[in-house]
Structure formats: structure tokens, C-alpha cells
Amino acid sequence: MTREWWRDAVVYQIYPRSFQDSNGDGIGDLEGIIRRLDYLNDGTETSLGVDAIWLSPTFPSPMKDFGYDVSDYNGVHPDFGTMETMDRLIAECHARGIKLLLDWVPNHTSDRHPWFIESASSLENPKRDWYFWRSAKPDGGLPNNWRSVFGGPAWTLSEETGQFYLHSFLKEQPDLNWRNPEVERAMHDVLRFWFERGIDGFRIDVMGMILKHPELADNPVNPRWRPGDRERSSQIWLNNRNYPDVFGAVKRIRRVFDEYPEKTAVGEVFGTAEEISAYYGDDREPGLHLAFNFQFIHEIEPWHTPWDAEIMKRIVRDAERAIPAGSQPCFAFGNHDRMRFITRHNEDGRGVERARAAAIVLMGLRNTPFVYYGEEIGMEDVEIPEEQLQDPARLRTFGRDPERTPMQWDATPSRGFSEAEPWLPYGRADRNVDEQFADDGSLLSLYRAAIWLRKRTASLREGAYRELESLDGTWLFERGATGAAAAAYVALNTTGHAVRVAVPSPGTVALATLRSEEGRRVGQHIDLEPLGAAMVIADGERSILGR
């Protein structure tokens, strides 16, 4: 059987508003992405080498939640271009061997979507049941106690009909009723529309929320919640997230993907390792090809996962134990909804050192790695004046603008992004592609080397994961190609002091946070600097170590 492309891929997430502006309006667009494709992969090892791109939403939208409030699933927002531009982007990606994933938002639409406008027009409208409409309780209370992800009740009253509608996010994002077969068919047809145009797959937004409790039963109170914690954590999301009925819907979505060869579904899901793994389906019927495990970013909201070897080992151990046979984990260290990696791990000013180690770990694990744009050059969250903030989520919870600022291509005042005032301000000028591109010691060069090494090393692409014994504060694992001896080792030190880590077999240091160590032969151990990491390719592995 042909090996599925996503098993060996490194995927690069682009926030389209922030990648490259081509028309001087201060907003990134599809034409800008086309112009930067050679940076991502031109077929040579001077490029980053990614295999696929995921675009955050590009559909027409009022932009109340910057594209996650969709008003037309079968179009392109004018800020980003036209359908013709999208078709050219697809073609240009494919010409370079790059797959292109869009961001599908099946849980909710915009309140400006024609479906919702019809649904809201009267109690008798044929599309009334496409959304969740409920009357107040006899005592005048809300239909249930659910809270919005962005804070406040998940219900808003429509004065026109006197009923409340459900919105798990902003009030401008009403939830679709996936128990209505017409809704499910319409959303499946969205997938087919884009597959026919050549899109290679979708990242699926809040996959675990599309099927709720059939009676919309109240969520239980969270006994661990305390004043000062995030409001949405005041209840356990038992009846509106990971509800068991969702897995049947996931399998039906997978059937649509299977109508088109080599299309890939990547789900945004949350929960324990067991809950995440359930989205892959079972022996009788598959579910998603990939389900995100965000536990390197956050395990218990709203806290960030510490950079701690013991915690990270447990995360991978749990994921490997829970995932179905034949499936593959999917990890990331950043995305458009969370603080950037260095900002999360910079309490002692050493976030960049940890970022270098993270690149080696992410590319060494058994997984399909996702890299958030700018992560490879060490972009950090940007302090943004109140008058320039854009994200409406900040009004009830934390805002996400600081991690969505424009990509920094050079150190000029425009950062190579736009000739106009950018939609969000730039970060520190010294974090840019131009200055790091030819510097072999830069974070960009380390990412590039790690990605290309992964491409040509069989054990890193196909090998099993096995955690090896190591000292507290360190993490050692091996990747072994099927039917062969262990062929690659990754060692991580999350402590503030140097350590010596034993390795089972002799080999060559192929990657290291201290890059002067690369190319050195090792026998029984490897020395790691504080917060350092290294990858050793064992003798006999089918790889080319030279760059």
C-alpha cells in the first residue's frame, strides 16, 4: 500500500492576515503567500522544507472572530483575494510538492450567513431547526447553564421571535444543529466543493463540539473552580464537548474524505489522551486521520504546560498508550490561540534556548509536527497598545492579538511584510528571516536542518517511539525503523545544569542546540548543556548526515 503523505509531513500553519501583504493594505493575502512559497519549500535544502500548509480561515466573513465566523463556506474573503487567486495558490503549492489544507468551521456560522438569517426570520422558517432555538425556562431563565468559550452565557435572545439561540463562542457565531440531517449534508457538500478544487484536506475547528447532548442538559458545576479562574472553567463541559454522539458524526465526515484519494482530516480536539484518541475511530470504522494533542501547550486551562522533562515524558507516554494501532499522534508547540512558545517559557529570560530544544524534540517524536508561522525565527508575543487591539475575545477573556502579529522577513521598518501600516504592530526587529537565513547558528537554520534530516531519515519518519531510562530532568527516547535496530536517539535536558546522558548505541550527533557539537561521534553517552538537546543518528541508519 502507498504510505499516506501526512504520516511523513511537516505542516506549517499560516495566519493569512499576517504572512505577507501583496497589495499595500496592511493585511496579508493569498497572493502574498504565493510569493513566499519558495521560502517554505523550493525543493532544495536552503528552503524550510515543509510538506504542507494549513491556512487559518479564508472564507467570506464579517470578521467578528477573524474568519471563524463564516458567512459563505464556498468563497474567499476579499481581504485575501478571489477564488481565482485561491486556485493559483493551490496550483503553485502543488507545483512545489506542497499540500494545502484549509480551516473548516463546522460548529457554527456567522449570524450573517444566509442560513442563519433565514432561521432567525420566523418560528416557522424551514431552516429554523438548522440552529438551536429555545424558549426561556418557566421562571424566565436561560435554556441551560452553558457558558461561552469567550465568557458569558452561551445564549442570546432574538427580539424578532422571542427565543434564545445557542452560541458556544461570540453571539455573532450561532451553533449549527448537526442532529438535523440537512445541516450535515450541507456541511459535507462544503468539503466536496473544495476537494473538487484541489484542496488536500482540512483542519477542522472545535471538532469535539458539533454534537451536543440531545436535550441540551445542564453542565455540572466544577468543584475545583475558584474566583479568579477563567469563567468558562466554572463548569465541567460534559454535555457540549466530547459528547459520545460526536464520534458517529466524525466517522461520517471521514467517509466524505474517503471519496477523494489522499485527502486528510486534522481535528482540533481537547481532553485527555483517551478522549483525543477516540477521534481516530476504531477497527470497524476510521475517524480522523489526525487529532491534535495540545498538551505540550496546555494541559489544564488556563495554565501553560511547564518545560519539564517528566511532564513531557508523561504526555507522550499517555498519547502512545491510548492511540489506536496504526494511528499517529499530532503535536504542536504553538498556534494562533495561545501565547507564542518563547513568551510562555521565558520567565528566566531563556525562552530562546528552550525553543531550540523544542525544534529538535518536535521533529524527533513519532508524530505529524505542526509549526506555527514565525516559530522558526523565534517570534514572541508583541505588546500591543489598547487602541490597536483587534481580538473581540479580549473583552471577556484573554486576547490573542499578541501571537498573531505580522511575519518578520527582514529588519526594515516594514519588516518586509507591507508598505502600509500593518493591521497589528510588529515585534522586535532582530527576529527576522533575512538575518537568520545564512547564519548556521540561528534558530531558523536549526529548524531547517531538523526538517530536512527528518525527511531523509527512515527511523524518524517511520520508526516506533520508545522512552528510555534517563536522569530526572532529562528525556531520552529512541526511534526505530520497522524491522531494524534502534536508529535514532533524542536527548533533552530541561534542567539549569549540564548533564551526561547515556545512549545505547554509537552514532553521530546530527542535530544539537549547541550546533558546534554536530558531526561529533558519540559512543556510550552524550553531554548536554543546560536546557540543551541533541539528536544522535545511530550507525547503520539509512540517512545522509551531511548538509
Side-chain angles (χ1 to χ4, degrees):
M1 293 179 62
T2 303
R3 184 173 169 85
E4 300 102 327
W5 67 266
W6 50 267
R7 292 187 182 274
D8 300 335
V10 175
V11 186
Y12 189 87
Q13 181 191 353
I14 291 176
Y15 198 71
R17 296 180 71 84
S18 294
F19 199 61
Q20 180 66 62
D21 173 23
S22 71
N23 60 3
D25 62 0
I27 297 172
D29 47 50
L30 301 182
E31 178 62 37
I33 295 170
I34 292 172
R35 296 180 186 181
R36 295 294 188 179
L37 287 178
D38 283 346
Y39 163 77
L40 297 175
N41 197 340
D42 67 359
T44 72
E45 295 192 28
T46 59
S47 64
L48 189 58
V50 299
D51 305 286
I53 299 168
W54 152 34
L55 303 183
S56 292
T58 53
F59 306 118
S61 164
M63 293 293 174
K64 295 295 184 181
D65 189 22
F66 290 101
Y68 287 96
D69 51 320
V70 178
S71 58
D72 178 6
Y73 287 100
N74 294 349
V76 173
H77 193 287
D79 282 352
F80 302 133
T82 64
M83 287 295 285
E84 186 273 335
T85 322
M86 178 64 81
D87 289 340
R88 282 199 300 110
L89 175 59
I90 295 168
E92 293 289 347
C93 284
H94 290 171
R96 293 165 175 79
I98 299 173
K99 305 289 187 179
L100 184 62
L101 310 182
L102 297 186
D103 206 326
W104 185 42
V105 188
N107 181 71
H108 48 267
T109 69
S110 165
D111 62 352
R112 297 294 87 203
H113 195 292
W115 297 344
F116 185 74
I117 293 171
E118 282 191 54
S119 181
S121 64
S122 73
L123 296 172
E124 296 78 27
N125 188 276
K127 283 193 169 56
R128 187 69 173 180
D129 191 46
W130 281 45
Y131 296 84
F132 295 94
W133 293 97
R134 297 293 185 273
S135 298
K137 290 182 176 179
D139 63 0
L142 296 172
N144 69 19
N145 71 343
W146 294 357
R147 311 303 291 177
S148 161
V149 170
F150 292 151
W155 296 92
T156 289
L157 179 66
S158 169
E159 299 289 349
E160 191 166 4
T161 61
Q163 284 192 319
F164 292 89
Y165 65 89
L166 177 67
H167 53 89
S168 297
F169 293 84
L170 298 175
K171 65 181 179 63
E172 294 88 358
Q173 294 171 285
D175 282 25
L176 284 162
N177 177 15
W178 271 73
R179 293 189 184 277
N180 184 327
E182 293 180 346
V183 170
E184 186 171 67
R185 282 195 295 271
M187 293 304 285
H188 287 178
D189 284 343
V190 170
L191 299 174
R192 295 184 178 99
F193 173 86
W194 287 105
F195 289 153
E196 294 289 344
R197 298 194 84 92
I199 288 297
D200 298 292
F202 286 90
R203 176 268 191 183
I204 306 175
D205 188 58
V206 290
M207 180 77 263
M209 296 181 71
I210 65 171
L211 261 291
K212 287 88 167 168
H213 189 290
E215 303 301 323
L216 306 185
D218 281 357
N219 279 329
V221 172
N222 182 0
R224 299 174 59 185
W225 185 85
R226 298 290 181 270
D229 293 348
R230 289 169 67 185
E231 177 194 350
R232 76 189 195 199
S233 302
S234 63
Q235 57 186 228
I236 298 170
W237 288 42
L238 181 68
N239 294 317
N240 58 340
R241 184 166 68 189
N242 297 339
Y243 191 75
D245 290 357
V246 77
F247 301 113
V250 169
K251 292 173 181 178
R252 293 190 294 275
I253 289 169
R254 172 61 183 265
R255 290 176 207 159
V256 179
F257 277 76
D258 287 345
E259 294 172 14
Y260 298 84
E262 298 191 355
K263 306 303 183 184
T264 302
V266 187
E268 181 193 31
V269 299
F270 300 95
T272 64
E274 290 73 20
E275 288 171 321
I276 293 167
S277 294
Y279 285 89
Y280 286 89
D282 51 43
D283 292 339
R284 291 173 291 118
E285 189 170 11
L288 300 175
H289 299 86
L290 293 166
F292 273 116
N293 184 319
F294 294 121
Q295 292 178 1
F296 286 140
I297 303 174
H298 59 93
E299 283 197 279
I300 303 173
E301 297 183 286
W303 300 284
H304 306 300
T305 303
W307 190 248
D308 179 275
E310 304 310 312
I311 293 174
M312 296 167 73
K313 284 189 276 192
R314 174 178 51 77
I315 289 170
V316 176
R317 191 184 308 138
D318 290 348
E320 288 282 350
R321 183 181 63 247
I323 198 165
S327 297
Q328 181 163 296
C330 178
F331 295 115
F333 282 124
N335 62 37
H336 61 293
D337 285 330
R338 292 283 167 167
M339 287 183 185
R340 283 190 175 272
F341 179 91
I342 291 176
T343 303
R344 295 199 313 273
H345 296 291
N346 204 39
E347 65 279 357
D348 56 358
R350 304 181 74 177
V352 174
E353 294 172 70
R354 294 181 178 94
R356 295 178 67 83
I360 294 173
V361 169
L362 185 63
M363 298 304 155
L365 282 169
R366 187 179 86 89
N367 86 119
T368 300
F370 276 66
V371 178
Y372 186 45
Y373 83 97
E375 208 164 77
E376 76 276 19
I377 57 171
M379 284 177 61
E380 300 179 41
D381 282 13
V382 177
E383 291 190 19
I384 301 173
E386 176 64 31
E387 65 274 11
Q388 291 182 267
L389 290 171
Q390 307 275 345
D391 185 8
R394 77 187 191 281
L395 302 177
R396 285 190 174 271
T397 181
F398 63 90
R400 300 158 295 177
D401 294 319
E403 58 263 31
R404 298 177 174 183
T405 57
M407 180 68 173
Q408 305 201 156
W409 299 100
D410 58 40
T412 64
S414 72
R415 304 293 194 273
F417 169 73
S418 176
E419 296 304 316
E421 185 75 16
W423 79 286
L424 285 174
Y426 301 115
R428 49 188 292 178
D430 62 335
R431 299 282 169 80
N432 68 78
V433 172
D434 188 54
E435 292 186 9
Q436 295 189 34
F437 189 82
D439 178 2
D440 194 52
S442 69
L443 182 59
L444 174 58
S445 291
L446 179 59
Y447 260 97
R448 190 167 55 213
I451 291 170
W452 282 98
L453 178 67
R454 189 176 184 273
K455 285 179 183 296
R456 60 178 178 259
T457 305
S459 58
L460 295 177
R461 295 192 315 274
E462 305 170 24
Y465 168 88
R466 185 160 72 101
E467 180 185 327
L468 301 176
E469 185 176 350
S470 63
L471 301 170
D472 288 348
T474 67
W475 180 14
L476 177 67
F477 61 87
E478 70 175 10
R479 299 290 310 285
T482 303
Y489 307 101
V490 176
L492 171 69
N493 175 17
T494 61
T495 75
H497 56 269
V499 296
R500 172 165 286 184
V501 178
V503 292
S505 302
T508 303
V509 178
L511 287 172
T513 45
L514 190 61
R515 301 206 69 190
S516 60
E517 292 292 295
E518 294 177 4
R520 187 168 64 84
R521 292 281 301 163
V522 297
Q524 297 178 324
H525 64 264
I526 184 169
D527 294 316
L528 297 177
E529 76 273 20
L531 302 179
M535 184 182 295
V536 175
I537 302 299
D539 293 344
E541 159 59 24
R542 302 187 302 278
S543 67
I544 303 170
L545 292 176
R547 294 197 305 278

